[in-house]
Amino acid sequence: MSRVRNFVSERIASVPPSGIRRFFDIAATMEDVISLGIGEPDFTTPEPILQAGIEALRRGETHYTSNSGLMELRRAIAEHLDRLYGQTYNPASEILITVGVSEALYLACAATLDPGDEVIIPEPCFVSYAPEVVFAGGVPVMVPTSPENNWQVTAEAIEAAVTPKTKALLLGYPSNPTGAVMSRERLNEIATVVKRHNLLVISDELYDRLVYDTQHVCFPSLPGMYSRTILLMGFSKAYAMTGWRIGWAAGPAEIMEMMRRVHQYTIMCAPTVAQYAALVAIKEGEPFVEEMRQEYDRRRRLIVGGLNEIGLTCVEPKGAFYAFPSIAVTGMDENTFAEKLLQEERVAVVPGSAFGPSGKGYVRCSYATAYEKIEEALERMRRFVRRHG
Ligand SMILES: Cc1ncc(COP(=O)(O)O)c(C=O)c1O
């Protein structure tokens, strides 16, 4: 009798599980833990958005929508992008409603990559980028960033990574985990490299609305970039809608058509109830976005000031809701630091290396948690550093 074969795809098995979950699992078994580990808003979805979802269900909106998503929602998103960034998209052919940026990212890779195509990815970065490229048969080429450049990737670093196989650049700014926001000047330099090497850009701008003391620059709005950019945005962070699973992709019609094809056969459409809630989010959500942004900003000042004072030095994050301090003062590596901090002081942070090799010696601290909890976490971290510094 023949032995059962190994049925698992080598390509999928080559991708390790995310390094973030392990800490959540340990933290979940402990009492009195303050978690700075979470990558999602602590706010619940604002009331009018919730109500829109509930009313949609009560009206019987329990069916599929068109593959691309509700036309009304696509139109509202087109107006939103025009208003904020002066970037126009045709809602009929250039906008696709997806199951969060997560699905949009998957679609972007599936629709554009052929086996062996290289994708340049600045790191440390969101944990899904490299796996999604691998799942689609591509090859991720990681490019380091550093605090010396405020964790912004440079055009030189990108250009140095270009080979004849390079097809795309995957940008994720404002950044999870560093909080970095790209300046217009740096983005323009990158646009020049992108043009010179004829690259596609996949731009994950999920945190575009959560920036502080600065302006977000929408990559496709730069000269010449619209026709070669897939823009990914969503509702999870700014509207506190992670669990609704809703986002969108926007880009040139010929690329969007291919993304729609993958989406049509794998997903059918984004959740209908979430689409109705998202419509109200886009149309009426602005005051709530601004209120939450201001609260994140207050917490950001607290945590950045506190961490630097303790000796866990960190460059000022200008976006998202993460601080990314160096733990050099403790002499520990980031995994030991995170484990000991959790065991000894019951504060959960994520080791920076979970986001790429340049995260070695750093940890990610999310400030999407209550101000008072951050104050207490800083006190505990102060004790910890004093003991180990
Ligand atoms: C940079 C970044 N992109 C995409 C995602 C996925 O978001 P969504 O909930 O829209 O799938 C996250 C979630 O943490 C993220 O941080």
Side-chain angles (χ1 to χ4, degrees):
M1 223 170 58
S2 61
R3 280 180 49 222
V4 175
R5 276 164 57 194
N6 178 3
F7 292 117
V8 170
S9 148
E10 277 176 34
R11 196 167 75 210
I12 306 300
S14 74
V15 175
S18 162
I20 296 184
R21 284 286 142 197
R22 197 165 70 88
F23 279 89
F24 283 144
D25 294 345
I26 302 173
T29 64
M30 297 168 69
E31 270 174 32
D32 185 34
V33 172
I34 299 179
S35 182
L36 306 180
I38 296 172
E40 65 169 323
D42 55 320
F43 302 106
T44 44
T45 307
E47 189 59 27
I49 305 173
L50 276 182
Q51 281 305 329
I54 292 166
E55 280 159 28
L57 286 175
R58 292 238 177 272
R59 272 200 318 276
E61 305 284 7
T62 56
H63 307 274
Y64 297 129
T65 66
S66 100
N67 292 139
S68 299
L70 292 170
M71 189 53 174
E72 214 184 335
L73 177 58
R74 283 180 277 148
R75 253 192 229 115
I77 289 169
E79 281 163 20
H80 171 86
L81 292 173
D82 192 15
R83 181 165 43 82
L84 286 176
Y85 305 117
Q87 185 56 47
T88 54
Y89 287 101
N90 180 342
S93 57
E94 297 191 313
I95 295 177
L96 179 63
I97 310 299
T98 59
V99 182
V101 164
S102 301
E103 191 219 346
L105 187 61
Y106 167 76
L107 297 177
C109 293
T112 61
L113 300 181
D114 285 312
D117 281 347
E118 291 180 359
V119 179
I120 294 174
I121 309 176
E123 58 84 18
C125 65
F126 179 47
V127 293
S128 295
Y129 292 164
E132 290 290 9
V133 168
V134 173
F135 293 161
V139 179
V141 176
M142 308 310 281
V143 166
T145 62
S146 69
E148 287 71 41
N149 284 317
N150 292 326
W151 299 107
Q152 295 177 41
V153 68
T154 63
E156 299 81 60
I158 291 171
E159 188 142 45
V162 172
T163 76
K165 290 188 172 166
T166 308
K167 180 138 194 203
L169 166 67
L170 204 175
L171 289 177
Y173 294 92
S175 162
N176 170 8
T178 64
V181 171
M182 291 293 286
S183 68
R184 183 177 291 274
E185 191 188 355
R186 280 230 160 98
L187 284 176
N188 273 323
E189 289 164 8
I190 289 170
T192 304
V193 172
V194 162
K195 256 186 268 182
R196 188 180 301 136
H197 297 282
N198 205 1
L199 304 180
L200 166 76
V201 176
I202 301 171
S203 192
D204 173 359
E205 303 183 19
L206 179 55
Y207 293 93
D208 69 319
R209 311 306 312 288
L210 300 179
V211 295
Y212 317 100
D213 305 333
T214 187
Q215 292 278 318
H216 174 76
V217 179
C218 184
F219 193 81
S221 72
L222 297 175
M225 288 300 109
Y226 150 80
S227 59
R228 48 174 78 249
T229 304
I230 304 173
L231 173 66
L232 313 181
M233 283 185 175
F235 295 89
S236 286
K237 313 292 171 160
Y239 300 92
M241 290 179 73
T242 45
W244 296 81
R245 309 310 302 125
I246 183 103
W248 74 85
E254 22 344 322
I255 299 177
M256 296 312 296
E257 172 55 27
M258 292 303 114
M259 287 175 62
R260 186 163 28 252
R261 205 167 291 175
V262 182
H263 171 80
Q264 170 177 75
Y265 288 123
T266 52
I267 300 290
M268 202 85 103
C269 69
T272 301
V273 60
Q275 293 192 51
Y276 280 103
L279 182 59
V280 169
I282 277 272
K283 288 193 160 168
E284 300 171 26
E286 212 49 34
F288 300 99
V289 171
E290 182 51 22
E291 201 179 306
M292 290 188 275
R293 195 194 65 81
Q294 284 182 16
E295 177 56 21
Y296 289 132
D297 193 15
R298 196 168 79 94
R299 299 169 183 180
R300 179 182 72 106
R301 290 167 200 278
L302 171 69
I303 201 165
V304 171
L307 289 170
N308 279 308
E309 205 186 297
I310 295 168
L312 302 174
T313 54
C314 99
V315 294
E316 189 187 355
K318 293 282 192 183
F321 37 58
Y322 310 103
F324 204 62
S326 162
I327 51 154
V329 68
T330 64
M332 294 178 202
D333 68 50
E334 68 285 354
N335 291 308
T336 312
F337 178 95
E339 250 160 62
K340 276 191 190 289
L341 182 65
L342 183 59
Q343 298 296 350
E344 294 178 18
E345 292 291 348
R346 309 201 165 233
V347 175
V349 297
V350 182
S353 50
F355 307 95
S358 301
K360 278 197 178 75
Y362 297 84
V363 293
R364 188 189 76 174
C365 305
S366 163
Y367 50 88
T369 192
Y371 195 87
E372 298 69 31
K373 284 195 181 168
I374 297 171
E375 282 180 319
E376 173 61 23
L378 285 168
E379 211 31 63
R380 295 183 189 188
M381 289 168 96
R382 184 192 307 279
R383 276 203 304 262
F384 183 81
V385 171
R386 207 176 284 147
R387 218 167 33 245
H388 296 285

